[in-house]
Structures are given as structure tokens and as C-alpha cells.
Amino acid sequence: MPMDKITAVKGIKDILPSETPGWQKVETTARAIFERFGFHEIRVPIMEKTALFQRSIGEATDIVEKEMYTFRDRDEELLTLRPEATACVIRAYVEHNLASAEPVTKLFTIGPMFRRERPQKGRYRQFHQIDVEVFGDDTPASDAEVIFMLMHFLDVAGVENLSLEINSLGCKDCRPGFSRAVVAYLGQFQDGLCPDCQRRLTTNPLRVFDCKVEACGRIISDAPRILDHLCPECLDHFDRVKGFLDDLNLEYAVNSNMVRGLDYYTKTAFEVKSGKLGAQNSLAGGGRYDGLVALLGGPDVAGVGFGIGMERLLTCLPDTEENVGKTDIFVAALGTRALKFAFKLTGLLRRSGFTAATDYSGKSLKSQMKRADKMQSAFTLIIGDSEMDSGRAVLRNMKTKNQQDLLLESLPEALINILKSEVIL
RNA sequence: GUGGGUGUAGCUCAGCUGGUCAGAGUGCCGGGUUGUGGCCCCGGAGGUCGAGGGUUCGAACCCCUUCACUCACCCCA
């Protein structure tokens, strides 16, 4: 009787061989483009002390309240699987004093994040992000540069039909005032709000802005707007960011209802959406977080960054036929002596840099030819015990069907020469 | 955490109002060529119809329970 299958954890998926080429391609272009903008890769652990996220993301956020994978280590210390990367990167940045090495530090990291939410399209409990952070630059130009890099990357990666939305969330000076104004306004219409929003009124009033309930939407449309409450500095910053985006000919929409979920964002916030994604239509989001580094015990330097959801990005890519790794040559062996010969020859060809395959199962030639065909082999070398005796093997060009005899004694050299000239074409 | 949808062969799915309903396509293996692939033809392996219980002479189909997956809400990448 079969044992029960042990399955993967809910919301956590395997990335199968048929999918890895897409992932690798995205990662490779990210690395190439980010380096071009002066960013360097940092790799940080996926586990951190729980306090790091409590302090950075905010105690009252959903992530910290109910979505983190937190457990007690054997020595009683509370650890958490990272729900996002920014806090981790800042921790490393502070811990290793990266600030003192250069005035502006540009970093990126790629890897898995963990959030215990109910899975749905574009949302998983383990998901992967490409995460970018700039420390030590508080200028509007750096906001715009980061946004430009994001859009350029998505473009090169091949994502189509994107929309960029930006907003300003104000700073510690102007946001509290705005927040009070919103609460006061919404208080008047409390009974008209959906139950969720009534709850948000006390927990996180700004979140009412991106409620999708129609009734709430009408109320919100006349609510105070953050952009009217910005302090002179924030307003100026926002205007200049927009100016730089215009200079780069980037299209964007100002969405004054956009609120970011994490507590630490200040000033510029942005989001990239795609219609291909279903309900979870945001494939990248980010913003400025001046003050966060200091909050985590580092120097008081500014920060901007963004995260890209890899799974979401990949579903936005047009379907490309995965070209499975092609095989340069398949060695079809028949008979014991030939098999031994094929084993050595295949090893030698691989050592010379070719993709060589063979089959040790002793199947019929027909069946081996089928395998060679499946592998899209450019050539097949046929060698049986009769060839071993005659001292010649048969090389078949799978596309042209041309066959030629090759002397066994000079076989490796002859094959390498043929493969070198043919395979490159 | 809350709601809807779906669970039949490795994969994609048919299966009418309970009565040859255990199927198709594809993939896999083999044969048609004693040692030559793709196309075509033929054959084969593979499923306790998600699991458990109930109704019935009889259940893939009806009822209950449960699990899984999925979409949506919440929230976010």
C-alpha cells in the first residue's frame, strides 16, 4: 500500500524545470541593468530577529499583526521569515557600516519573502522579489532615477501595458495633520462606509482611500487630498520628481488615493500596475523612506527603493516558447563494447564543451533515434559492435539527414572539428 | 480569517435526468524497418473517478462530512 504523499506547503510552489529559464532570464536582465545604474547586489538572510520587522514595518500593520512566519528558536529567541527585504537590507547596511564607505549606497537583492496570507492569483506565501534600495540621497532626482530604472527594466524584461502611478505621502511634519483631517471628514459619513472602512477609521484611516466599495469611493472622492496638505518641502520635492520624470519622457498618473501599506514610507510613493494580473494587479511598488535607517539604529540617511514581484512579473510576460537546451550530439550505442566506447566518448565531448547525450539502457536504435530527436540533437553518432570491428562510426546530421563515416581512431578530433563548425551556425 | 468555484489516466479534459461510464486527446513505452528520428498506422502500460460516511437493487453522478486546489474579499509584490 502506498504511503501518503507529502505535498508542498499551502501557497508555496515549486519552480519547475520548464519555468526556470524564464526566471533566470529576468534575474539576468535585472542584474545587467541595475549594474548599469551603479547598483550592486547584496545577499541577505531570509531569517531575521522578529523585532527588526516589528520596528520597521509597523506594529499595527497587517503584515506584522497576522502575516509573519514567526517562531521561537531553541534558545527562546523570536525569529521571523522575512516578509519584505527593505528592513533586512537596512540591517545589513547599518551592521556593516556601509554608509561610511561612500556617500550614496545603491543596493539590490533578489530572493524569497514569506507572508502567511490566503493564496490567490499572484499571491503566494512564499513569493520572490527583486528589491532595490538607495541610501544617502534625499534629492528628487534620485526618486526619479529609481523609478526610471524600474520602468526601463520592466521594458527590457518584456512587460507590456504597464501603468505607473505616483503620489506623495508627506512627511512626519505634514502627514499627521492630513491624517487628522481625513478622520474628521470621514467621521461625518461613518454610517455610509463599509464595515471594513469603519474599522480602518481607527486602525489605519488612510487605507480608506483605496477601498473598492462603491459607496466608500463616493465619500472618498470629496475627502481631503494629501496633495493639498503637503508641507512646502514635500510639495516642492514632489513637483521636482514629476519634473524629472517628464525630462525622461516617462508617462505616469498622479493617484492621490494611492496609499502604501507599510508605515515607513514618506514623500514619494509609486506603483506599477498591469491589467494582466487579476485582482492583485500591482507588480511593483516602492517609495521613499527617509528616517527608516535611523529608526533601525543607523545614521540618519535618506532612502528610496522598490520591490518587484517576480511571480507577477512573470505572468505579465508574453508566452514565449521555452527553448529547451539543445543537444549538440547524441551518441547512439548498440552492444556492450560500443556502450563502453560511447561512455568514454560522451565524457570527452562534454569536457570539450559540447552538450552531449547518450543512452545506456541498450534500447533499439530506433528508440535511441527518437530520444535524439526529442532532445533536438544536431548530430547523432551511431556506433554498434560492427562499427567497433570495422573501425568506422556513422555520423548523421539530423537536419539534413546526411551521413558520413568517421574513423574511430581519430574520432574525437574529427567530431570536435565538425561540431565546432556546424554547431555555431 | 470570510465567501464562491473545482477535484475523473503523468498533463488537458469528456462523461446527458443515478443503470457497460471508467473514456478521449496528448505524453510515455513498444511494433510497422533483424541497426536509422520527425509524419502516418497499430498495440500497450497507467485511474480505489480527492478522502470518509450515507441514500439506493445499483453512485464518478444524489446527500452529509472532510481535505486539497483555485478565484475573490482583507491586505499586498
Side-chain angles (χ1 to χ4, degrees):
Chain A
M1 55 183 63
M3 302 281 281
D4 291 352
K5 271 188 270 192
I6 297 177
T7 60
V9 178
K10 182 197 282 286
I12 299 187
K13 287 181 166 323
D14 299 305
I15 300 166
L16 298 172
S18 60
E19 307 169 302
T20 48
W23 285 75
Q24 288 167 351
K25 198 175 164 213
V26 168
E27 288 167 9
T28 306
T29 65
R31 290 195 169 94
I33 288 178
F34 296 171
E35 296 280 353
R36 211 177 285 168
F37 281 75
F39 285 76
H40 299 295
E41 182 170 4
I42 182 171
R43 302 194 184 189
V44 289
I46 61 167
M47 220 192 300
E48 296 279 356
K49 293 176 183 173
T50 301
L52 176 66
F53 303 114
Q54 290 173 330
R55 214 198 286 177
S56 60
I57 298 172
E59 290 277 8
T61 58
D62 276 22
I63 292 178
V64 172
E65 270 184 354
K66 49 192 191 196
E67 294 175 1
M68 295 203 304
Y69 281 98
T70 296
F71 61 96
R72 213 170 273 285
D73 195 3
R74 297 192 180 221
D75 63 0
E76 300 297 298
E77 184 165 48
L78 275 181
L79 301 179
T80 293
L81 261 32
R82 63 182 186 194
E84 59 115 26
T86 301
C88 308
V89 174
I90 294 178
R91 197 226 78 231
Y93 170 80
V94 172
E95 190 163 334
H96 301 285
N97 252 312
L98 267 34
S100 53
E102 50 189 345
V104 176
T105 310
K106 299 173 166 186
L107 302 171
F108 71 92
T109 192
I110 302 177
M113 310 294 156
F114 304 83
R115 257 122 91 160
R116 199 181 186 292
E117 301 174 273
R118 192 74 169 261
Q120 72 185 71
K121 187 176 174 68
R123 190 169 66 196
Y124 308 100
R125 290 185 174 183
Q126 175 177 330
F127 60 100
H128 298 76
Q129 266 184 294
I130 301 174
D131 191 78
V132 166
E133 316 287 349
V134 178
F135 301 114
D137 192 339
D138 63 358
T139 64
S142 72
D143 301 38
E145 185 181 85
V146 157
I147 293 172
F148 172 58
M149 183 171 84
L150 169 61
M151 298 310 284
H152 176 57
F153 161 70
L154 292 174
D155 183 40
V156 174
V159 192
E160 292 163 344
N161 297 321
L162 296 174
S163 65
L164 168 65
E165 295 183 356
I166 63 169
N167 192 22
S168 176
L169 303 178
C171 62
K172 62 182 188 306
D173 295 328
C174 49
R175 182 141 51 146
F178 168 66
S179 198
R180 277 194 300 275
V182 170
V183 174
Y185 169 81
L186 291 177
Q188 303 174 263
F189 303 97
Q190 189 162 357
D191 295 340
L193 293 169
C194 71
D196 281 326
C197 285
Q198 298 197 16
R199 179 177 51 76
R200 290 185 181 112
L201 218 45
T202 51
T203 56
N204 196 343
L206 298 190
R207 294 231 64 96
V208 176
F209 276 93
D210 51 16
C211 181
K212 288 158 193 157
V213 176
E214 207 181 312
C216 299
R218 282 197 298 273
I219 293 172
I220 290 156
S221 61
D222 290 324
R225 287 161 36 101
I226 176 73
L227 296 178
D228 299 327
H229 285 73
L230 255 28
C231 63
E233 188 196 323
C234 286
L235 193 60
D236 176 60
H237 186 98
F238 192 50
D239 282 340
R240 291 167 67 183
V241 170
K242 287 189 287 186
F244 283 121
L245 292 179
D246 293 335
D247 290 344
L248 291 164
N249 289 320
L250 276 183
E251 284 188 32
Y252 59 87
V254 174
N255 177 0
S256 59
N257 289 347
M258 184 178 68
V259 193
R260 308 251 71 223
L262 284 48
D263 278 3
Y264 54 65
Y265 283 111
T266 57
K267 290 183 177 164
T268 314
F270 54 92
E271 202 165 304
V272 180
K273 293 180 179 174
S274 163
K276 274 187 144 180
L277 283 172
Q280 310 302 320
N281 63 353
S282 159
L283 82 155
R288 180 161 279 286
Y289 45 85
D290 298 343
L292 181 59
V293 177
L295 182 69
L296 293 177
D300 188 10
V301 297
V304 228
F306 61 78
I308 304 170
M310 290 270 278
E311 284 82 357
R312 293 184 186 180
L313 166 50
L314 285 161
T315 70
C316 286
L317 258 30
D319 291 330
T320 54
E321 58 202 79
E322 319 106 18
N323 43 338
V324 205
K326 292 212 174 106
T327 305
D328 298 326
I329 181 166
F330 184 94
V331 181
L334 299 155
T336 319
R337 280 184 295 149
L339 229 62
K340 195 170 170 58
F341 184 87
F343 180 81
K344 281 162 63 183
L345 178 64
T346 309
L348 199 146
L349 290 167
R350 289 172 176 158
R351 194 181 275 156
S352 306
F354 298 102
T355 304
T358 185
D359 184 328
Y360 303 125
S361 64
K363 288 182 183 164
S364 70
L365 179 58
K366 173 171 180 162
S367 133
Q368 295 197 52
M369 292 296 289
K370 279 187 177 175
R371 282 238 52 78
D373 190 53
K374 275 267 155 51
M375 293 181 180
Q376 304 186 55
S377 179
F379 290 92
T380 298
L381 183 80
I382 298 164
I383 176 149
D385 283 347
S386 60
E387 280 79 6
M388 297 300 293
D389 291 333
S390 68
R392 290 167 174 274
V394 179
L395 181 68
R396 179 180 176 87
N397 181 319
M398 295 298 274
K399 191 164 273 176
T400 65
K401 297 183 180 179
N402 287 335
Q403 298 196 169
Q404 58 181 309
D405 284 4
L406 297 174
L407 288 174
L408 287 190
E409 46 186 33
S410 58
L411 189 56
E413 298 74 27
L415 282 178
I416 288 169
N417 277 332
I418 294 171
L419 289 176
K420 265 186 187 153
S421 57
E422 295 284 330
V423 165
I424 296 167
L425 310 174

